[in-house]
Amino acid sequence: MCALSHYLEREGIQTTGISLVRENAVHMRPPRSLWVSFPLGRPLGTPNDAEFQHGVIAAALELLARPSGPVLADYPYDAPAADASSAPACPVSFPKAVDDDAGWRGRLADEFALLKPWHELSLRRRRGRTLVGASSDDVLANLQRMGELLDADQLPLDDLKWFKLATEDAKAFAIEALTAQPGEHDHRAVQRTLWRETQLGAALAEFHQRFQQDPKWRLFARIVAPREAVAAAGDASNNTEANP
């Protein structure tokens, strides 16, 4: 869409758009673009929240008032917090206690092994359709690298683009795996499980906290996780076992 907007502008048609990957917008330099910190595949935020979505659309349309570009504006709000009033049935038994000696790398890899069969079932049901694949590396490799960064406390990062795509793939993998399990699959309930009951949610909350400690990285912290999700995220290292 960034490339298409250049052609339309040459014909005298004003354009505006929404970007989920800020680095792409910086590189493509579209005439007008609104960057949002939402997950890939959800440029307007949480599904079924018309008021919030209208706000995003209005902010993108307001860029049409800018006579010249390129204009890249940052949307100042995160998507609304997930409702924690219900949770999906979850046959996966997340450990009551984790092996601290395994570190973040080991815990994320172990959780990946628990979720992988459910993700494979999700792929069969969806006939291969998936939101996983933004990163050039596979999910397990990305999770292990993320764990190594946390274990070694290696922040700030030297490859922000990789990190953004890796985290989006990891979240998409986990959500698709959770929705393949038996029971109700309300989006908000699945988000609750992700942020409150998984090692991935705990790891992303830890990344968010570390980014927040440096004023230069606080904007990037919103890419890692919405503030509301981080506030709701429990300590996954002390998870109680999910109900079957």
Side-chain angles (χ1 to χ4, degrees):
M1 295 302 295
C2 290
L4 181 61
S5 65
H6 287 289
Y7 291 105
L8 293 174
E9 293 272 342
R10 290 176 188 173
E11 299 299 322
I13 302 173
Q14 282 188 301
T15 63
T16 185
I18 297 174
S19 174
L20 288 162
V21 182
R22 201 178 195 282
E23 294 84 354
N24 289 352
V26 170
H27 178 72
M28 297 294 292
R29 295 170 61 84
R32 299 164 196 83
S33 184
L34 178 71
W35 172 74
V36 295
S37 61
F38 312 150
L40 291 176
R42 292 191 176 139
L44 299 181
T46 306
N48 302 318
D49 189 337
E51 182 179 357
F52 184 84
Q53 293 176 351
H54 288 168
V56 178
I57 294 172
L61 293 176
E62 287 174 0
L63 298 182
L64 292 172
R66 308 286 184 92
S68 62
V71 175
L72 178 57
D74 294 340
Y75 194 62
Y77 305 111
D78 295 319
D83 184 4
S85 60
S86 61
C90 182
V92 172
S93 297
F94 294 112
K96 289 184 178 180
V98 296
D99 182 4
D100 289 335
D101 292 338
W104 283 105
R105 185 181 190 276
R107 296 198 295 271
L108 289 171
D110 288 345
E111 184 171 84
F112 173 85
L114 288 174
L115 293 175
K116 188 172 186 294
W118 291 105
H119 190 261
E120 292 173 348
L121 176 59
S122 172
L123 287 178
R124 292 196 295 271
R125 289 176 175 174
R126 299 167 186 261
R127 298 181 180 180
R129 295 191 299 272
T130 178
L131 292 177
V132 178
S135 173
S136 59
D137 298 320
D138 63 63
V139 174
L140 178 57
N142 284 333
L143 287 171
Q144 291 175 326
R145 183 175 173 186
M146 289 162 58
E148 290 168 356
L149 290 171
L150 288 176
D151 289 334
D153 197 15
Q154 293 182 5
L155 294 177
L157 299 171
D158 58 0
D159 192 344
L160 295 180
K161 183 176 181 180
W162 163 80
F163 185 78
K164 171 67 164 60
L165 299 179
T167 55
E168 292 298 344
D169 268 2
K171 286 185 284 187
F173 171 85
I175 289 171
E176 290 173 5
L178 290 172
T179 55
Q181 299 163 14
E184 297 285 335
H185 296 136
D186 176 80
H187 166 74
R188 294 179 178 180
V190 173
Q191 287 286 331
R192 174 187 178 276
T193 301
L194 171 66
W195 290 107
R196 291 196 172 190
E197 300 182 24
T198 68
Q199 291 295 316
L200 174 61
L204 294 177
E206 179 67 19
F207 273 117
H208 184 279
Q209 181 178 356
R210 296 188 188 186
F211 282 126
Q212 286 280 44
Q213 294 172 358
D214 188 335
K216 297 179 181 178
W217 291 81
R218 285 176 183 169
L219 177 63
F220 194 73
R222 290 203 300 119
I223 298 177
V224 180
R227 286 184 295 268
E228 295 86 352
V230 172
D235 181 4
S237 64
N238 293 314
N239 277 336
T240 58
E241 187 172 358
N243 294 325

